[in-house]
Amino acid sequence: AQSVTQLGSHVSVSEGALVLLRCNYSSSVPPYLFWYVQYPNQGLQLLLKYTTGATLVKGINGFEAEFKKSETSFHLTKPSAHMSDAAEYFCAVSEANTGGFKTIFGAGTRLFVKA
Amino acid sequence: DTAVSQTPKYLVTQMGNDKSIKCEQNLGHDTMYWYKQDSKKFLKIMFSYNNKELIINETVPNRFSPKSPDKAHLNLHINSLELGDSAVYFCASSQAPRADSYEQYFGPGTRLTVT
């Protein structure tokens, strides 16, 4: 069975500092991994995804994530935080399910960016 | 043009009532989803339809009944509302039921409050 664990429900960084949001997963098959961002009162938006191939994945808004199979991790990073990055971030894993794919989301990490 | 739209945006109702939430996507996608996000931001899939056929049906009380009149619409009807049904309900769509290949696009959510 799949599961996703996001370490830290809240992360606070200063503007310009490194952003690191942690995600660990468990999956019985090679996983498809995702990071989504949710701004206040909005739906989720895909930041980036890993399916196969290169383990370092680049996404929108300067974010990237690295798939590390040995550590079952898919941490999200951004070199320099911007005030507009303040949002809720969700890590997710998908695997094949009867008739389709089922996506399991982590509990989310709220990112605060201080001026 | 909104890609995935939901109505209403807010819904306040009393226990025992029956209510519906509507979702429409204008992306030409074949697959649509309903997710429930609770007060702790935990997001869980409820249903998925592909070409108007139910393909994912999670452990959801049978008071919840999805209906897909056509590929562009997926409505959610809830009977005998309970306090625990209070949550934000998100509709999403994707081109096909393959999470590895196709991104899910989320609607803005419907905040349901049961009093």
Side-chain angles (χ1 to χ4, degrees):
Chain A
Q2 303 165 294
S3 67
V4 177
T5 302
Q6 291 184 238
L7 300 175
S9 58
H10 296 85
V11 169
S12 182
V13 300
S14 297
E15 194 172 19
L18 171 72
V19 175
L20 171 61
L21 304 182
R22 300 178 187 273
C23 173
N24 288 89
Y25 70 91
S26 68
S27 177
S28 56
V29 298
Y32 302 124
L33 296 161
F34 308 81
W35 276 100
Y36 284 84
V37 60
Q38 183 181 27
Y39 297 103
N41 300 314
Q42 293 186 27
L44 279 70
Q45 179 184 2
L46 182 67
L47 271 179
L48 49 80
K49 68 178 180 183
Y50 169 80
T51 55
T52 59
T55 56
L56 182 62
V57 181
K58 294 187 186 300
I60 61 172
N61 301 339
F63 284 93
E64 61 183 37
E66 187 170 11
F67 169 57
K68 291 188 177 180
K69 185 178 178 180
S70 60
E71 299 177 9
T72 60
S73 69
F74 191 56
H75 302 331
L76 182 71
T77 60
K78 182 174 179 178
S80 176
H82 192 271
M83 297 296 287
S84 61
D85 294 326
E88 191 89 25
Y89 291 81
F90 293 91
C91 182
V93 61
S94 284
E95 67 179 21
N97 187 273
T98 303
F101 275 72
K102 189 165 78 168
T103 302
I104 305 297
F105 287 84
T109 297
R110 172 64 63 93
L111 176 65
F112 295 93
V113 182
K114 300 175 291 187
Chain B
D1 256 356
T2 304
V4 182
S5 60
Q6 297 179 226
T7 53
K9 190 171 175 63
Y10 300 96
L11 183 55
V12 181
T13 188
Q14 292 183 328
M15 280 195 305
N17 285 348
D18 302 338
K19 291 293 179 186
S20 292
I21 306 172
K22 296 188 176 184
C23 178
E24 177 181 1
Q25 54 95 2
N26 62 7
L27 298 166
H29 289 170
D30 285 348
T31 310
M32 297 185 73
Y33 313 80
W34 276 112
Y35 288 88
K36 179 181 180 181
Q37 187 177 46
D38 64 23
S39 58
K40 296 183 178 178
K41 298 286 187 178
F42 185 60
L43 193 69
K44 186 174 180 186
I45 189 163
M46 300 173 70
F47 304 103
S48 176
Y49 272 73
N50 185 54
N51 273 323
K52 302 192 298 175
E53 285 193 31
L54 183 66
I55 57 172
I56 292 175
N57 185 355
E58 286 297 282
T59 307
V60 175
N62 57 15
R63 298 182 294 104
F64 290 79
S65 53
K67 280 194 171 57
S68 182
D70 55 58
K71 286 196 317 182
H73 296 85
L74 180 61
N75 303 324
L76 183 65
H77 188 75
I78 315 170
N79 289 327
S80 303
L81 278 155
E82 300 178 357
L83 292 176
D85 297 332
S86 295
V88 181
Y89 292 84
F90 286 100
C91 177
S93 74
S94 63
Q95 190 167 345
R98 286 191 60 88
D100 56 330
S101 306
Y102 301 109
E103 175 182 348
Q104 291 185 54
Y105 291 80
F106 283 78
T110 295
R111 184 175 293 277
L112 171 66
T113 303
V114 183
T115 61

